[in-house]
Amino acid sequence: MRENEKYNATAEEDKGIHIINIKAIEDIGYIQPETVLLNSLNTDQDSACKHGLCFQDGERKVDYILAYTFKKSSGNRTPNKKSHYNNSVSSQRSGKEGQPLPGGVHDLETAEAEPRVDYHEDDKRFRREEYEGNLIETGLELEKDEETKLHGVGFVKIHAPWNVLCREAEFMKLKMPTKKVYHINQAQGLVNKINSVLNKISEPIQPKVADHRPQTVKHLSYPFSREKQHLFDMSDKDSFFDSKTRSSIVYELLKRTTCTKAKYSMGITSLLANGVYSAAYPLHDGDYESISEPNDRKLLCDEWASYGVFYKYQPIDLVRKYFGEKIALYFAWLGVYTQMLIPASVVGIIVFLYGCATLDDDIPSMEMCDQQYNFTMCPLCDKTCNYWKISSACATARASHLFDNPATVFFSVFMALWAATFMEHWKRRQMRLNYRWDLTGFEEEEDHPRAEYEAKVLQKSLRKEFKFKKTEKEKLTWRDRFPAYLTNIVGILFMIGLTFAIVFGVIVYRISTAAALAMSNDAATRANVRVTVTATAVIINLVVILILDEVYGCIARWLTQIEVPKTDKTFEERLIFKAFLLKFVNAYTPIFYVAFFKGRFTGRPGDYVYIFQSFRMEECAPGGCLMELCIQLSIIMLGKQLIQNNLFEIGIPKMKKLIRYIKSRRETCTDHEEHLKKKQRYEMDYNLEPFAGLTPEYMEMIIQFGFVTLFVASFPLAPLFALLNNIIEIRLDAKKFISELRRPVAVRAKDIGIWYNILRGIGKLAVIINAFVISFTSDFIPRLVYLYMYSADGTMHGFVNNTLSYFNVSDFKPGTGPNMDHDLGYPVEVCRYKDYREPPWSENKYDITKEFWAVLAARLAFVIVFQNLVMFMSEFVDWIIPDIPKDISEQIHREKVLMVEVFLKEEQGKLQMLETWKDRDKKRGENLNSQSPKLTRSQRGSSASAYSYRVDV
């Protein structure tokens, strides 16, 4: 007997919907006895479907979509599914036996009459049928649509009925609002007046969203329980579970439901990875450009994702309602970070203006520009470079004062405290959001194993079963992952070495280009050698950084994949660590070179250090390397923000969308009937870019945070440029989530995860780096040492002369002196170079002087004092600011007390009801005894049983 004879199926038609009652036989195990709704869409009834947001009946909402590709039969036409359903129904009514497969696929007899597809497509179809049948067993309702405008793409619409939602909400421990409402304690007295004034002032910059208003009352929330449904506010069952919650519940079911075939267990992640389904996503709430149909998506587009509202606060509660807590926390963190950049930008501008105001009062830079102190400097390279006057570096020295002044030290201390305050402010803000979103008691449970992990475990189990004939449950050990760990270590070290090699190549380019330009016959070219070399080298570094960022992102993902982490959370954390490490090294290595290595190991005239015995190491300008560090930092930071963060984020998604649109038009132009149909919501969302996670969004902001904090002593305007970028970045990311990406599955989260630890690490590292930048890169410490130890009149007069040593040109090694005839107008016998060394007429000529050791000791002492002082101040700020606001702590405690009162009141009500029943039954028994003293024994027994039944109830 054929397998389809084991099914007893009856069908009836009601408003175009075919309801098939399938009785599953235990040995097949496909479907439990229940009503399965398998609908075939009629294209003439699109209006009833409300643009694809609900089933064909126009009532049941579409909570999730599974999309798959299939090969159409001859003529690029899909067979009429409705006719197949009618044939199936008619054959059953006439006594013929058919096999309606789970998910609404054609019956077996009809399928055999059609042209057969290849084995791979057939296997995918069988897996889909089994998986959809298992979904139906869980209580979900499915509806298929293959008559779509998209060529060769079918959709399975999933709806979760009320009983499934309640069951899964209890299983997932979702906190839902109860009927108990309490008033939130408001500040009193002066604080209340200040808050009311601030609310009135900030009214114009508040989004026009109802949920954004300050809460005065709040529903008490409690983990959902079917036994205590009477406690919850179910006045409107349709909105009790919102679309975000419904889709997350269905997604949990999709992950938990498996398709088992030949011992191969496959959940939705495995099915997606193996191409059984091409996509799985929840639907957006309608069109964001629609005028007639208001929805949350359009409201977010108008009040959040529009550049015209850049000055307004974000509607974070509405973002959370639509996208879930994890994405809302990212945008809340980005908003707090952007707000905190405002005071940092103001102080940075003040420091820059201070440098501009005191430019003419800076004696060292004025001496460099004074012709009276126009020292003859030694050549910057061998043979081709000539002697030069220090006054030619006048512009660089004056520009360096804009960033290298006493206010820079204050700004470095301020930014270290700013970073600590920012972290504390975010923790308090995060706690407030946890309270408002009922996440205070939320604990993340262990996630489901990833598809790749399950496949790897299966391979290991099959090998062991084949070898030892054992079927024990296996797991991956460190021995299984050792080759992957070794590959990770070697790969990361190789990538870091590659970055160093590229930076070294740029250094060689700078040295060789400087030597080549110095040979030019053009005087203007020779005069601008340093500026030309610096600008071109920075641009090369920027291009390399942008390219390697994309390469390292792919490599980090591949290295994480071969490790085969068990859960998605573990995978994400390991990916973040690898990507951050590689991108951090890639972005900051050129800056570290200029800040701490350039000009440190050059040697001296007559005894220079060479690369490959031919290229002389670079020297800093007479005004120091700080100006060059500022140029390097500003170009890389602004270039990354403008090109990578903005143009790439705008251009690449739009290009992909255009390619998909052109491909779709090309495929559908062959079928004019399909082309005339209006696209459903799930078809339009299918053409959007899939959500790839928040790692790229966080990563670009973390790298920017490093630019703002790590080298802020050399570029006080970095917070200002970061602020301007973030104002655009918030709206750009919002627009991308609203219009360019499929709707992500809502994920519950109470914090930003590993990113917080990375931020704290960068904040600690910033204190150390800024201490070394001020001590070793700038001239702040040498100026202080000269002013208090070596100045004759207690001023900075003579500082430039003090930092320059003498060199006798006759001591040049053969072949290293300048070959060109110098045009200074006089013979050069002695040239100057920046260092603390004895003059050639000294007994210990060219030896390091005592002043060098004094300056070095002062620099090291400053690093120790600065680092410990700022660390102590940061820890003090961390200690003095509580992580949980006092009012939130009181409200959380109050919620616990109120919840206990609710349950006590419920128990007291039960006891009172029980006592009432007992008294009532007792009186009834006395009345019965008084009225009928001669009751039979059986009647008394029935009365007693009734009494015990009521007591049990």
Side-chain angles (χ1 to χ4, degrees), residues 425-543:
H425 179 42
W426 166 244
K427 283 195 291 187
R428 291 169 63 85
R429 171 68 170 159
Q430 185 174 259
M431 201 62 213
R432 288 188 181 277
L433 293 177
N434 285 341
Y435 166 70
R436 282 165 55 182
W437 297 344
D438 299 317
L439 295 171
T440 50
F442 171 70
E443 295 294 336
E444 293 187 7
E445 299 179 357
E446 186 177 358
D447 201 358
H448 299 281
R450 297 174 62 249
E452 292 80 359
Y453 179 85
E454 290 181 335
K456 202 78 174 178
V457 170
L458 176 67
Q459 293 176 4
K460 182 180 179 180
S461 302
L462 293 177
R463 286 197 303 266
K464 186 165 287 189
E465 183 180 352
F466 177 77
K467 189 173 182 180
F468 300 104
K469 305 299 181 182
K470 295 181 180 179
T471 58
E472 298 178 358
K473 188 175 182 180
E474 295 291 337
K475 64 179 182 179
L476 298 184
T477 62
W478 68 270
R479 289 187 178 86
D480 300 317
R481 292 192 172 102
F482 180 76
Y485 290 153
L486 185 62
T487 305
N488 269 260
I489 294 173
V490 174
I492 290 174
L493 292 177
F494 175 77
M495 293 299 113
I496 294 175
L498 176 64
T499 303
F500 290 161
I502 292 174
V503 172
F504 181 76
V506 175
I507 294 171
V508 174
Y509 160 80
R510 294 163 65 113
I511 297 171
S512 58
T513 304
L517 292 177
M519 300 172 60
S520 174
N521 296 326
D522 187 8
T525 302
R526 293 197 303 272
N528 297 311
V529 168
R530 194 181 296 274
V531 176
T532 304
V533 170
T534 300
T536 54
V538 171
I539 292 173
I540 292 173
N541 276 327
L542 175 62
V543 173

Side-chain angles (χ1 to χ4, degrees), residues 17-87:
I17 304 174
H18 302 279
I19 304 175
I20 304 179
N21 296 321
I22 302 176
K23 182 178 179 182
I25 307 299
E26 291 182 358
D27 57 347
I28 296 178
Y30 268 144
I31 303 169
Q32 299 295 333
E34 59 181 305
T35 300
V36 181
L37 295 146
L38 303 169
N39 303 353
S40 66
L41 278 177
N42 189 341
T43 57
D44 297 332
Q45 297 179 342
D46 287 340
S47 58
C49 285
K50 200 178 180 181
H51 311 299
L53 291 173
C54 60
F55 276 27
Q56 182 71 11
D57 57 9
E59 296 178 359
R60 289 168 295 159
K61 297 177 181 178
V62 176
D63 298 319
Y64 218 85
I65 289 291
L66 298 179
Y68 58 92
T69 57
F70 65 94
K71 291 185 178 180
K72 293 189 175 184
S73 57
S74 60
N76 292 327
R77 296 285 299 174
T78 305
N80 191 336
K81 291 174 59 63
K82 186 172 182 178
S83 64
H84 286 293
Y85 276 115
N86 290 336
N87 290 340

Side-chain angles (χ1 to χ4, degrees), residues 898-916:
L898 289 174
M899 203 71 244
V900 172
E901 290 178 358
V902 168
F903 283 114
L904 287 176
K905 188 175 181 181
E906 183 186 8
E907 292 300 324
Q908 290 174 357
K910 288 181 180 178
L911 290 174
Q912 290 177 0
M913 187 179 297
L914 194 60
E915 292 294 333
T916 304

